[in-house]
Amino acid sequence: MRGKYTYDLDSRKLVRRHYTGGAEGLAFKLKSPFACGVERFVYRCVEIAAPERRGSDGGYRAVLPRLIAKEARMQENLGEKFHRVHARVQETARHVAERFTERLESLGFDRAWFVMYLRPRIYGCYDPQYADGVCWVLVEEALEGSFTKWNNNAGGVAKGPAVESSDSDGTELNIADFLSQGMCSQGARGRVIDVPSTFSHFSYNFSGNKQLVCDIQGTWNADDGFRLTDPVIHRVSSSGREHVNGNTDKGRDGITKFFKSHECGPLCRALGLSRPPAYV
């Protein structure tokens, strides 16, 4: 293994990390991906460790938890830099989600309303089939439960039966799946199902109206709240630079499309969120 790294927001650098429970490497469970998006293939994987007893006939053993690895689809994105951008975006969203959850907790909301992002890690795996001899992948814990997309990066927000995914892979959100769990019940402070779009709105205010987290996707249950992955962050660059946060970052246009479709509800008002002047 070349190494295991996380992105540090303060230093803006990758930081080397230790493997879990004596692990020494990473093993893919399948030769082919079980899912794919526009930019990445997705594989099931685990960290692996040598047999506990030297000389044992047993092979390498899996070290929990179960993981998934994301590899670039395009030849030009196979290096570490591509994954570093994705790790930075997800770490940024993770930080915003922590602040959002703190606000909700201070207002007396329970865990069903909380938001958290998985922490991404970047692995470099020695592999002679790659140009520089290293296969780079972004790895995170596997999510348990029904995977759902709540909004996308083109202004689509879940209001009715479904919302199209940002990468046009046909993923849909069926709100009926959550009716039996009380997620759509209307209370004085709104509905749990309104949390994803409210979080996107919160991220815009939190950043000083410079960026917005969207493409909200992951799992939800009443005990853990929202556990999310693969965010998109639209950013308005002061220098006019485009795609600061990767190809899915649509900048001002992406933020404009979100607010054209987003309708503030009781939760936005409880958090005191403000809208851009054009969309008040």
Side-chain angles (χ1 to χ4, degrees), residues 104-126:
L104 292 181
E105 193 169 17
S106 71
L107 293 172
F109 287 88
D110 62 32
R111 294 187 61 84
W113 301 72
F114 294 175
V115 173
M116 66 84 67
Y117 273 90
L118 299 177
R119 185 163 202 184
R121 297 165 176 82
I122 296 175
Y123 288 67
C125 310
Y126 289 121

Side-chain angles (χ1 to χ4, degrees), residues 230-243:
D230 287 348
V232 167
I233 298 182
H234 298 315
R235 181 170 181 83
V236 178
S237 172
S238 57
S239 65
R241 178 186 166 197
E242 296 183 341
H243 308 300

Side-chain angles (χ1 to χ4, degrees), residues 174-186 191 193 220:
N174 186 351
I175 292 179
D177 292 344
F178 301 96
L179 286 171
S180 62
Q181 303 176 54
M183 198 177 188
C184 298
S185 300
Q186 180 71 48
R191 308 175 302 171
I193 203 167
W220 176 87

